[in-house]
Amino acid sequence: MTQAPAAPKAARRRHDREIVALAVPAFGALVAEPLFVMADSAIVGHLGTAQLAGLGIASALLTTAVSVFVFLAYATTAAVARRVGAGDLPAAIRQGMDGIWLALLLGVAVIAVALPTAPALVGLFGASDAATPHAVTYLRISALGIPAMLAVLAATGVLRGLQDTKTPLYVAIGGFVANGVLNVLLVYGAGLGIAGSAWGTVLAQCAMAAVYLTVVVRGARRHGASLRPDAAGIRACAQAGVPLLARTLSLKAIVIIATAVAARLGDADIAAHQIVLSLWSLLSFALDAIAIAGQAIIGRYLGAGDAQGARDACRRMVQWGIASGVVLGLLVVLARPVFVPLFSSDTAVQDAALPALIVIALAQPICGIVYVLDGVLMGAGDGPYLAWAMLITLAVFAPAALLVPTLGGALTSLWVAMTLMMTVRMLTLWLRSRSGRWIVTGATR
C-alpha cells in the first residue's frame, strides 16, 4: 500500500522535467520582444516625455501589426508537435516551411498598408501634437522590419514543435544585445533620436530572421523537405490560422482600447501606461513560457494518441502557472520603486505608474492560469473555441475601459479593467479544460 503513490509522483516528476526543459529556454526567447520595447523605452524615455509618449503609441501599433499573426508560431508549434508525436518529421518540417513563406507574404502586405496610413493610425489614439510626429516617425521606420519579425515567428514555431527551445533562446540573446547596442549608437552616438531607436530594432530583427532561416533550411535539407513555396500548403496554413487570428485580433483590440483610453488621460498617463504595459508584456511572456511548453508537450501527446498523458500534463502545467504568478506578483511589488525611475524622471509619470503596478502584481496568479490554459488549448488545435472565448472577453472589457475617463478614473482604474478582462479569460478557458472536448488524438486534428 505504501508504494501506491509512486506512479503519480513519477508522472509529476516526468512532467516537471519536460516543462522545465522546454519552458526555461522558451522564457529567454519569449521575453525578447518586450525586452526590445523596454530597452527602447528606457533609451527614448530620457529624450523627453513627448518622445516616450510617441513611442508608446507607435509600439502599440507595431506590436499589434506583428502579434495578430502570432498564429504563425502557435499553430505551427501545435501542428509540428503532433507530427513529431506521430513520428513524421519530413511532413512536420514541410508544413513549417509553408508557414515561413506565408509569413514573408503577410509581412510585405503589412508594410504596404502601414507606410501610407501611419499618420492616420497614430491619429486614432488621440495623441497630443507634441507626441504625434515622434509616433509617426517610429512607426514608419519600424514597419520595414515586419517581414523579418513574422519570419522569426514562423521559424520559431517550427523549432518549438520539434521540441527545441534552446536555439530560439540563443538567437533572442544575440538579438537583444544587438538591439541595445544599435539603439545607443544610433540614438545618441549618431544623434538620430527616436528614428535611431527604430532603425536599431529593424536591423536587430533582420539579423535574427537570417539566423532562424539558416537553421530551418538546414533542417529541411537534412530531412528531405522541399524549400519551394507550395500554394496548397500556404493556403492550408492560412486557413488553420484563421481562428487564432480572430482570437489574437480580439486580444490586440483590448490593448489598443487600453492605450487609446490612457492617451486621453494625458501625456503623463500615456507615458506611465507605456511603462506599465512594458512590464505587463514582460510578465506575460514569462508566464507564456510554460504555455509554449504546453503547446509542444500537449501536441506531442495527442499526436502519439496518449489522451491521459495530455490530461496529466495540463493539470501539472496549471499548477506551475499559479505558482509562477504568485512569485512574479511578489517581484513586481518589491521592484516597483526601482523599476519606474529607469524609464522616466518625470514625477507625474512616476505617480501615475506606481499604483497601477500594484494592480498588475495582484493579477499575476490569474494571468498564470490564463496563459497556461491558452497554451494547452492551442497545443490541442482548439482554435475555434479560443476565438469565441476572446470575443466574449472583448465584449466585457470594452465598455468597462471606455467608462474610465467618463467617470473621472485614472490610470489605476484602467488597469483594474484589464484585471477584469483576465478574470473573464480565466473562466472561459477553465470551463473548456474541464469539459475535455479539446482532447482529439492523431497526427492531425
Side-chain angles (χ1 to χ4, degrees), residues 33-403:
E33 182 180 340
L35 284 177
F36 274 34
V37 176
M38 289 176 69
D40 290 355
S41 299
I43 294 169
V44 172
H46 292 287
L47 293 174
T49 299
Q51 286 88 337
L52 182 58
L55 173 64
I57 294 169
S59 63
L61 285 164
L62 181 66
T63 301
T64 299
V66 174
S67 297
V68 293
F69 302 116
V70 74
F71 69 84
L72 292 166
Y74 291 165
T76 302
T77 298
V80 171
R82 276 184 176 267
R83 285 165 173 78
V84 168
D88 192 354
L89 286 177
I93 297 178
R94 174 64 261 180
Q95 181 164 356
M97 289 303 304
D98 291 335
I100 291 173
W101 280 110
L102 176 61
L104 295 174
L105 292 172
L106 291 172
V108 172
V110 172
I111 288 179
V113 173
L115 292 182
T117 61
L121 292 172
V122 170
L124 292 175
F125 282 79
S128 68
D129 292 339
T132 295
H134 300 296
V136 172
T137 296
Y138 191 91
L139 179 60
R140 278 181 165 161
I141 296 172
S142 296
L144 300 176
I146 288 177
M149 297 178 193
L150 298 189
V152 165
L153 286 177
T156 301
V158 177
L159 296 179
R160 289 173 183 166
L162 294 171
Q163 318 292 297
D164 176 11
T165 56
K166 290 183 179 179
T167 299
L169 170 61
Y170 302 145
V171 178
I173 292 173
F176 174 69
V177 172
N179 179 70
V181 172
L182 287 168
N183 267 260
V184 172
L185 291 176
L186 295 175
V187 172
Y188 298 114
L192 297 179
I194 195 169
S197 177
W199 280 117
T201 300
V202 169
L203 292 173
Q205 291 285 354
C206 288
M208 292 173 66
V211 174
Y212 274 120
L213 291 176
T214 299
V215 172
V216 173
V217 166
R218 286 178 179 173
R221 288 175 174 169
R222 185 165 58 250
H223 292 284
S226 174
L227 298 175
R228 295 180 180 179
D230 176 68
I234 294 173
R235 282 196 303 271
C237 287
Q239 291 169 358
V242 167
L244 290 181
L245 176 60
R247 167 249 180 213
T248 305
L249 284 172
S250 299
L251 182 58
K252 292 308 171 183
I254 289 171
V255 176
I256 289 174
I257 290 170
T259 303
V261 170
R264 283 163 173 78
L265 296 175
D267 278 359
D269 284 297
I270 183 59
H273 179 72
Q274 171 62 16
I275 295 172
V276 177
L277 188 62
S278 295
L279 181 59
W280 174 273
S281 298
L282 175 60
L283 297 172
S284 297
F285 278 98
L287 292 171
D288 207 23
I290 305 172
I292 293 301
Q295 291 176 33
I297 292 169
I298 294 296
R300 192 186 74 239
Y301 274 121
L302 295 179
D306 188 353
Q308 187 58 48
R311 290 190 187 92
D312 293 341
C314 173
R315 185 180 304 110
R316 190 58 176 165
M317 282 182 283
V318 168
Q319 294 170 355
W320 273 76
I322 296 171
S324 299
V326 171
V327 172
L328 290 174
L330 291 174
L331 289 176
V332 170
V333 172
L334 294 174
R336 70 189 185 101
V338 178
F339 178 80
V340 175
L342 293 175
F343 294 88
S344 177
S345 56
D346 189 328
T347 56
V349 174
Q350 293 181 11
D351 290 344
L354 288 172
L357 290 176
I358 291 293
V359 175
I360 71 169
L362 295 174
Q364 289 313 295
I366 295 173
C367 296
I369 298 173
V370 167
Y371 281 93
V372 167
L373 290 180
D374 205 41
V376 166
L377 297 184
M378 284 184 187
D382 201 15
Y385 181 83
L386 290 172
W388 282 110
M390 277 308 307
L391 287 171
I392 293 171
T393 303
L394 174 59
V396 173
F397 170 77
L402 294 173
L403 282 173

Side-chain angles (χ1 to χ4, degrees), residues 415-426:
W415 280 93
V416 170
M418 289 286 283
T419 301
L420 170 64
M421 176 270 296
M422 294 302 292
T423 303
V424 174
R425 288 187 70 190
M426 179 185 69

